[in-house]
Amino acid sequence: MSVFQAFLCGVVYFLAIGNLPFVGLWSLQRPLVCGLITGIILGDPLMGAMTGASINLVYLGFISAGGSMPADMALAGILGTAFAITGGLDAETALSVAVPIGLLGTIVWYGRMTFGSVFVHVADNYIEKGEYHKIWRANVLFPQLMTALMTIIPCGLAAYFGASYISGFIEALSGTALTIFTVIGGMMPALGVAITLQYIFKGEARVFLFLGFILATYSGLDLLPLGIIAGLAALIYVQATGNNSDSGEDEIYE
């Protein structure tokens, strides 16, 4: 990995968690997306998408509530993919490495929340002086500059130096230890699926879960037609339940 490629990985990480418009939590922060982009940077987009998709399974039930961050899935996706490509790891082994990286990434998140509170007082100072045209600096410019420093440099250094040592690390773990990592990585997606099922397996949605499972198991269809069928079923269900609720309201008004 070159220095420029490592720098680009850091830039991707900054864009993923920088809370910029149209990027972040619902797009670039997802390991599938940032893994693909990391693969493009390193010249292997297919491996990047495959590794990112495997890492993404763990975070299917990811929720950030009240400012808390249980894991940094963007950092896990970027560095996990980078190490997989540069170290020749398969997706399962890269996943077992990426999850601890995601936990370490929470340090960056809470560091941003802690040091970013300083800029609130900077904005108060501008208001006291009547310099209202400078408030945007405290709200946008300074926080983004701080985030860039806290993301681009650490992620770039980790990608560059980590890529240099990952091959030796894998050789040292070859054998039983590497097999254990592979097995753990293969089990981790089940955790993300299980968390998601806790939200799906409720009320009237249960019947759709069983129908989808039976259809996916015995129909032999690929993911694309299955997704289309699921979307159509959801649309029909929403329309049917919507019509029932509308008729009930009409009866009440009559």
Side-chain angles (χ1 to χ4, degrees), residues 3 9 15 26 51 60 71 82 91 109 120 130 132 134 138 146 152 162 168 173 183 185 218-219 222 250:
V3 175
C9 289
L15 295 175
W26 304 113
T51 305
L60 285 177
W109 174 263
V120 177
Y132 302 108
K134 295 182 179 180
M146 182 193 69
I152 296 176
L173 293 178
V183 172
Y218 297 104
S219 67
D222 294 330
D250 293 340

Side-chain angles (χ1 to χ4, degrees), residues 33-152:
V33 181
C34 60
L36 171 61
I37 296 176
T38 302
I40 294 173
I41 293 173
L42 298 179
D44 195 346
L46 179 59
M47 183 61 184
M50 293 174 58
T51 305
S54 299
I55 298 172
N56 208 138
L57 288 173
V58 180
Y59 300 103
L60 285 177
F62 181 87
I63 294 177
S64 177
S68 64
M69 181 64 69
D72 192 337
M73 57 181 174
L75 188 62
I78 294 169
L79 292 183
T81 302
F83 294 159
I85 294 175
T86 56
L89 306 179
D90 55 28
E92 288 76 14
T93 307
L95 175 59
S96 64
V97 175
V99 171
I101 292 174
L103 295 176
L104 289 175
T106 57
I107 297 175
V108 177
W109 174 263
Y110 291 115
R112 285 180 58 206
M113 297 298 103
T114 301
F115 295 111
S117 61
V118 174
F119 301 122
V120 177
H121 302 291
V122 174
D124 291 338
N125 187 40
Y126 286 147
I127 294 173
E128 291 176 357
K129 295 180 178 179
E131 298 174 337
Y132 302 108
H133 61 286
K134 295 182 179 180
I135 296 178
W136 72 275
R137 299 180 184 177
N139 290 339
V140 179
L141 179 61
F142 298 152
Q144 290 301 323
L145 290 176
M146 182 193 69
T147 301
L149 291 175
M150 296 181 65
T151 54
I152 296 176

